[in-house]
Amino acid sequence: MKIFRGFHHPGIARACALTIGNFDGVHRGHQAMLALLNNEATHRGVESCVLTFEPHPRDYFAGALHKPELAPARIGTLRDKLTELDRCGVQQTVVLPFDARLAAQAPEAFIDEVLVRGLGARYVLVGDDFRFGRQRAGDYAMLDAAGQREGFDVARMNSYEVHGLRVSSSAVRQALAAGDMEAAARLLGRPYTISGHVVHGRKLGRELGATQAGAGDGFRTLNLRFAHWKPAANGIFAVLVHGLAEQPLQGVANLGVRPSLDPTDVNGGRVLLETHCLDWPAHLGAEGAYGKIIRVELLHKLHDELRYDSLDALTTGIARDCAEARAYFASTHTETRRQTTRDRI
């Protein structure tokens, strides 16, 4: 998939079948829309293209109005969004910076400058609640009328439902906020996942509990930065880590701001996903994971973030989380074996 920031690039497709949206989470409703888009692109002999925005428009307005409560919780990072769009077969994604100029742009100008002259849209697919332009004044009727004048087709896709539930980014956020990872996975069509480069932290984890029996070199963690300050999920999770070994590694992870640590530390105030592998891969050594891209599946929430009064209490809490994560994986393994036995009968 080709990725462009803005549309003033020589390598951008001269004509495309286009859909527009934030695509936070790239859930099953998005996936159905993208499948239709790819089909229409194939029939028209043009590339399929997603136009998305960074930051999320509601993030921009929350900042402009100094009302952080208006910002939506973010399901995924930009990296994860682009990865899922690629997996869905999209040929080109244009990431358009959402700024003051775009926020003030009249819908007619957006159609002319972005859709027609910028992207060469021959087909535009939107959702049933699509609005665009200054003060969200543009709607499907306006877009359809423009398409008839400018020579591009416009289509609208109705809501996508699973077991009678409308699949939306809001529904995914609600499931993640409630810690219902199974419900989130049903809406997403896959386990909830965060990926990124492993970055350096305080290296405190390798010191915690290093002298405890069975702790080895402590609770070494793989740290991923979650760029947005308001992740849709937070807390302590049983996870699987991909990208470090041939098979996924079982682990326990903290997604949040680590309330027990000094806010002035090296990652102070930043949202991190800190993952401790229950069995550290020996081939990585002490420093071998830094810089690697890993993918962490958050499978089961153990509890919310807790504040511990001391490092000893923190060490005890992490050890307890590890034990609970091991119990979770043992129970799921047992259930899988039972299901396999039932399937064979």
Side-chain angles (χ1 to χ4, degrees):
M1 182 179 74
K2 296 181 292 185
I3 302 169
F4 300 95
R5 284 194 176 266
F7 47 81
H8 299 292
H9 301 279
I12 204 162
R14 300 182 64 181
C16 69
L18 177 71
T19 190
I20 308 166
N22 295 301
F23 292 94
D24 191 18
V26 194
H27 54 63
R28 292 176 67 178
H30 293 144
Q31 293 162 28
M33 176 175 281
L34 295 171
L36 175 57
L37 179 75
N38 289 331
N39 184 62
E40 294 289 345
T42 298
H43 281 295
R44 287 168 166 76
V46 297
E47 291 195 8
S48 58
C49 178
V50 167
L51 175 62
T52 191
F53 307 98
E54 190 66 30
H56 192 294
R58 286 169 58 193
D59 278 340
Y60 168 80
F61 288 114
L65 297 172
H66 304 290
K67 294 183 177 181
E69 68 274 10
L70 297 180
R74 185 67 64 91
I75 298 170
T77 64
L78 179 59
R79 172 191 292 277
D80 289 326
K81 174 163 62 174
L82 294 173
T83 297
E84 292 303 321
L85 292 175
D86 186 31
R87 286 182 57 190
C88 289
V90 174
Q91 294 169 290
Q92 172 180 283
T93 292
V94 175
V95 182
L96 202 59
F98 197 92
D99 53 20
R101 181 182 181 279
L102 189 60
Q105 190 173 44
E108 297 85 356
F110 178 82
I111 293 170
D112 179 59
E113 294 179 22
V114 179
L115 305 190
V116 178
R117 293 193 284 128
L119 297 175
R122 299 290 181 268
Y123 169 86
V124 179
L125 175 64
V126 297
D128 55 4
D129 57 353
F130 179 69
R131 308 284 296 197
F132 65 101
R134 183 175 59 234
Q135 297 182 339
R136 294 171 52 86
D139 58 11
Y140 176 80
M142 178 186 290
L143 187 62
D144 187 47
Q148 294 182 48
R149 292 194 308 270
E150 300 291 344
F152 60 85
D153 294 329
V154 179
R156 177 167 52 188
M157 184 170 178
N158 292 327
S159 299
Y160 186 85
E161 295 186 356
V162 174
H163 301 305
L165 175 65
R166 181 178 184 271
V167 179
S168 66
S169 295
S170 294
V172 176
R173 292 185 187 106
Q174 290 170 4
L176 292 176
D180 191 341
M181 308 312 288
E182 292 186 358
R186 288 194 296 272
L187 294 167
L188 292 168
R190 63 187 185 280
Y192 178 57
T193 303
I194 297 172
S195 68
H197 287 92
V198 178
V199 299
H200 289 271
R202 284 180 60 184
K203 298 181 174 59
L204 177 64
R206 66 184 66 183
E207 300 175 14
L208 292 175
T211 59
Q212 288 189 355
D217 60 353
F219 300 109
R220 181 189 308 278
T221 59
L222 305 163
N223 302 328
L224 303 183
R225 289 197 178 102
F226 193 94
H228 197 267
W229 62 274
K230 192 177 180 182
N234 66 81
I236 315 302
F237 299 86
V239 303
L240 287 177
V241 181
H242 300 260
L244 294 178
E246 291 184 3
Q247 298 297 321
L249 302 171
Q250 297 176 358
V252 60
N254 184 113
L255 176 58
V257 296
R258 305 158 310 287
S260 297
L261 299 186
D262 184 348
T264 63
D265 72 6
V266 66
N267 287 305
R270 296 288 299 271
V271 175
L272 287 186
L273 176 64
E274 293 183 317
T275 302
H276 170 66
C277 295
L278 298 178
D279 296 296
W280 182 259
H283 71 275
L284 289 176
E287 309 294 328
Y290 292 118
K292 291 184 179 295
I293 296 177
I294 63 170
R295 182 166 53 90
V296 182
E297 293 182 3
L298 282 66
L299 301 179
H300 174 70
K301 184 169 181 176
L302 301 177
H303 57 80
D304 291 333
E305 281 193 292
L306 300 174
R307 180 181 293 277
Y308 296 98
D309 295 332
S310 67
L311 292 182
D312 286 342
L314 175 59
T315 299
T316 300
I318 296 174
R320 183 170 56 248
D321 294 338
C322 290
E324 291 184 11
R326 290 185 187 278
Y328 165 77
F329 285 114
S331 67
T332 56
H333 178 69
T334 300
E335 180 58 33
T336 299
R337 291 180 59 185
R338 288 174 179 169
Q339 184 61 51
T340 301
T341 300
R342 286 195 292 267
D343 291 344
R344 289 173 177 171
I345 296 176

